[in-house]
Amino acid sequence: CDVVIVHTKASKCILKGIINDKKIRIIPHGAYENPKKLNKQTCKRVLGLLNKKVITIFGFVTKNKAHDLLIDLMPKFNDDVRLVVAGGARTESDTRYLSFLKKKVKKFGVQRKVVFLDYIPEEKIPVVLSATDVAVLPYRNITESGAVHIILSHSVPTVTADLPNFREIKEEFNCVVLFKKDDKDDLFKKVTN
């Protein structure tokens, strides 16, 4: 191959030992240029979340995105906090994980506090993100996230796991708050501050 395109320095590092370094080009992931931003209270009303503090995990549901970390914390949040899981499963494995998350919600008795929206069509993305007070990407492992670019283009305050790709965003643009990967206490602290 002549050129391999990656979105992050971290991805380039992964490929360095496999592909000649001179063939790897970094082109940052795209984002919406002029996202539609809507009235926060109107969007919360549409989603049935008026007068609630909305935390959103946006994007397809997969185990490596660690939705379970935030669900484990839901009993600690005040009664006016709602977690919106804004994304559906794509594979059979993802479907099992989504089922696991729903069982966990029931086990903790936080059904009122967690809303599963399933797949979000593009025209509904502005409604969900405009209603969001803070987006959380508690990922365990990922080389790039399209979701973070969509979220940030909508100017939503964002908390992410301290992974190489998110550190790059923090270092270059200082527009995310990082928490220690898999550390529930640090995640709770960062989301509530």
Side-chain angles (χ1 to χ4, degrees):
C1 67
D2 291 332
V3 175
V4 174
I5 297 170
V6 296
H7 294 307
T8 65
K9 294 173 193 168
S11 294
K12 183 176 180 176
C13 287
I14 291 168
L15 293 177
K16 270 186 178 178
I18 303 167
I19 296 170
N20 182 327
D21 191 33
K22 292 177 181 166
K23 292 185 175 192
I24 304 171
R25 302 282 183 275
I26 299 172
I27 298 177
H29 195 291
Y32 292 127
E33 192 172 353
N34 294 305
K36 190 186 289 184
K37 295 177 186 175
L38 306 172
N39 178 275
K40 184 175 282 299
Q41 298 314 315
T42 301
C43 292
K44 285 186 181 197
R45 186 179 297 112
V46 166
L47 296 175
L49 300 171
L50 195 59
N51 301 317
K52 304 299 179 198
K53 293 176 185 154
V54 179
I55 301 169
T56 301
I57 301 177
F58 178 79
F60 288 108
V61 175
T62 64
K63 193 172 184 178
N64 69 314
K65 292 185 178 180
H67 296 69
D68 53 286
L69 288 177
L70 205 47
I71 288 173
D72 286 350
L73 291 171
M74 290 314 295
K76 290 179 70 171
F77 283 102
N78 293 336
D79 286 339
D80 65 340
V81 173
R82 295 296 180 266
L83 170 61
V84 173
V85 177
R90 289 187 290 187
T91 68
E92 190 176 313
S93 173
D94 297 343
T95 301
R96 285 192 301 273
Y97 181 63
L98 182 58
S99 177
F100 164 76
L101 296 175
K102 290 179 178 180
K103 287 176 186 169
K104 202 176 249 280
V105 165
K106 191 172 182 181
K107 175 185 165 189
F108 291 145
V110 291
Q111 297 93 318
R112 283 183 318 111
K113 291 175 134 182
V114 181
V115 178
F116 291 92
L117 293 181
D118 203 30
Y119 173 77
I120 307 297
E122 188 157 345
E123 66 274 7
K124 300 288 185 193
I125 290 172
V127 174
V128 172
L129 293 181
S130 294
T132 299
D133 295 299
V134 62
V136 178
L137 300 173
Y139 300 0
R140 289 189 173 95
N141 181 19
I142 200 154
T143 55
E144 178 55 288
S145 169
V148 76
H149 296 284
I150 294 169
I151 292 164
L152 293 175
S153 71
H154 282 82
S155 304
V156 178
T158 305
V159 177
T160 69
D162 187 7
L163 295 171
N165 60 313
F166 294 136
R167 275 197 302 273
E168 284 181 41
I169 292 170
K170 171 81 172 167
E171 289 165 9
E172 189 166 345
F173 303 106
N174 197 28
C175 59
V176 296
V177 172
L178 303 174
F179 77 95
K180 294 176 204 144
K181 183 180 89 151
D182 283 323
D183 186 328
K184 292 178 198 170
D185 293 331
D186 194 40
L187 173 57
F188 184 77
K189 182 176 142 188
K190 298 292 172 54
V191 169
T192 54
N193 283 343

